[in-house]
C-alpha cells in the first residue's frame, strides 16, 4: 500500500513540477481540466517510472478527473504569486459553478524553487517523469482531458460514476500500468524501448480507443 502522508509543501511542490513539465512540453498555460487529467495520469503511470502513485484513489466523476485538494493548493499558489491564471471564466458542471482558467508558472518567482528541487535526486526523477509525460501528451492530436476517459483505470466498468477508484491504496487495480506492461511483453524480442517510449505508446493507444481503432 502506498504511503500518502505528504503535507501541503509536498502537494505544492508536485504542482509546481507538473506546471514546469507543461512549460517544457510547450502546453502552458494549461486549462484546468487538462491539468487535472495530467495529474491523474501521473498517478496511474508513475509505476512505469518506478514511482509510487502520489494519490492512490480518486472519485469517478462524469466530467473526468478532478482533485479538490489539489485545486485548493493550486489556488493558494496563485495567491502566493507563484502561479498565474489566464482566461478566467466560470462553468456550471454537475450542479455547481466552478472557476475556469488556464494556469502557468510565474517563471521568475518559481525558478529558484525548481532549481532547488532539481538538486535532489528523488525530485529529479519526478521531474524527468512529469516532463516526459507532458511531452507525450503534447504529441497527440486530441486533448488529454478527452483521452483520459479511455484510460484503462478510469474507464473500468466495475467502477461507476460517483464511486471511488482505488488503484493504489487498499487495492492493486492500476490497470493503466498493467496495460503498459502488456504492451512491453508484446514487443518483439530484441527490440528495446525507453520508459518515455512506453508513455508515448500508451497515449497513442488512448487516441486509438477514442477513434475506435484499438
Amino acid at each position: 500500500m502506498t504511503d500518502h502522508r505528504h503535507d501541503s509543501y509536498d502537494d505544492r511542490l508536485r504542482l509546481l513540477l507538473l506546471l514546469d513539465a507543461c512549460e517544457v512540453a510547450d502546453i502552458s498555460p494549461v486549462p484546468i481540466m487538462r491539468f487535472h487529467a495530467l495529474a491523474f495520469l501521473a498517478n496511474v503511470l508513475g509505476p512505469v517510472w518506478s514511482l509510487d502513485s502520489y494519490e492512490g484513489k480518486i472519485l469517478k466523476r462524469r466530467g473526468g478527473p478532478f482533485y479538490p485538494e489539489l485545486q485548493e493548493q493550486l489556488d493558494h499558489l496563485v495567491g502566493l504569486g507563484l502561479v498565474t491564471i489566464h482566461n478566467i471564466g466560470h462553468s456550471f458542471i454537475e450542479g455547481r459553478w466552478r472557476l475556469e482558467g488556464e494556469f502557468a508558472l510565474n517563471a521568475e518567482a518559481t525558478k529558484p524553487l525548481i532549481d532547488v528541487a532539481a538538486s535532489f535526486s528523488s525530485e529529479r526523477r519526478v521531474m524527468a517523469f512529469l516532463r516526459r509525460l507532458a511531452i507525450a501528451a503534447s504529441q497527440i492530436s486530441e486533448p488529454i482531458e478527452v483521452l483520459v476517459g479511455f484510460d484503462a483505470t478510469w474507464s473500468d466498468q466495475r467502477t461507476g460514476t460517483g464511486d471511488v477508484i482505488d488503484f493504489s491504496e487498499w487495492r492493486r487495480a492500476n490497470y493503466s500500468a498493467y496495460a503498459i506492461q502488456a504492451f512491453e511483453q508484446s514487443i518483439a524480442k530484441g527490440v528495446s524501448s525507453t520508459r518515455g517510449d512506453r508513455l508515448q505508446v500508451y497515449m497513442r493507444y488512448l487516441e486509438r480507443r477514442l477513434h475506435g481503432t484499438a
Side-chain angles (χ1 to χ4, degrees):
M1 183 177 67
T2 304
D3 185 354
H4 296 289
R5 292 175 295 176
H6 44 78
D7 56 26
S8 59
Y9 174 82
D10 295 325
D11 293 334
R12 293 169 193 170
L13 179 59
R14 288 299 185 276
L15 290 175
L16 293 176
L17 294 182
L18 184 52
L19 285 170
D20 166 75
C22 293
E23 293 278 354
V24 171
D26 198 25
I27 55 173
S28 182
V30 57
I32 186 171
M33 295 311 296
R34 188 166 304 165
F35 187 74
H36 283 266
L38 284 169
F40 171 75
L41 289 173
N43 281 319
V44 293
L45 299 180
V48 176
W49 224 264
S50 301
L51 295 170
D52 288 334
S53 303
Y54 196 65
E55 292 287 349
K57 63 181 185 300
I58 187 172
L59 180 68
K60 190 170 186 178
R61 302 167 57 258
R62 231 180 356 259
F66 187 83
Y67 295 93
E69 295 84 3
L70 177 152
Q71 189 59 46
E72 287 180 10
Q73 295 296 342
L74 186 59
D75 294 342
H76 189 72
L77 290 172
V78 172
L80 291 173
L82 297 175
V83 173
T84 59
I85 183 169
H86 308 263
N87 301 321
I88 299 174
H90 293 83
S91 61
F92 191 72
I93 297 178
E94 297 184 348
R96 298 178 59 185
W97 284 101
R98 189 177 65 210
L99 181 69
E100 294 283 353
E102 299 176 351
F103 295 86
L105 285 182
N106 179 337
E108 183 178 356
T110 56
K111 186 179 186 305
L113 299 174
I114 300 296
D115 289 345
V116 169
S119 68
F120 295 92
S121 60
S122 59
E123 298 303 335
R124 283 200 302 273
R125 192 152 58 99
V126 173
M127 290 174 70
F129 164 61
L130 293 177
R131 288 179 175 186
R132 194 60 186 84
L133 176 66
I135 289 170
S138 74
Q139 293 177 344
I140 54 179
S141 59
E142 303 290 347
I144 196 65
E145 64 269 31
V146 174
L147 294 186
V148 76
F150 296 89
D151 167 75
T153 301
W154 185 268
S155 64
D156 178 31
Q157 295 299 309
R158 287 167 289 191
T159 306
T161 301
D163 295 333
V164 172
I165 301 173
D166 182 349
F167 55 88
S168 184
E169 291 207 354
W170 296 103
R171 299 181 63 219
R172 293 294 181 183
N174 189 337
Y175 304 117
S176 313
Y178 299 159
I180 290 183
Q181 291 173 4
F183 294 155
E184 193 69 10
Q185 293 170 359
S186 68
I187 294 175
K189 291 183 178 180
V191 178
S192 60
S193 63
T194 67
R195 292 177 297 185
D197 292 336
R198 294 166 207 161
L199 294 177
Q200 187 66 54
V201 166
Y202 189 67
M203 295 296 179
R204 290 173 180 162
Y205 163 73
L206 296 183
E207 197 167 37
R208 291 197 303 274
R209 286 197 67 189
L210 170 65
H211 295 297
T213 58

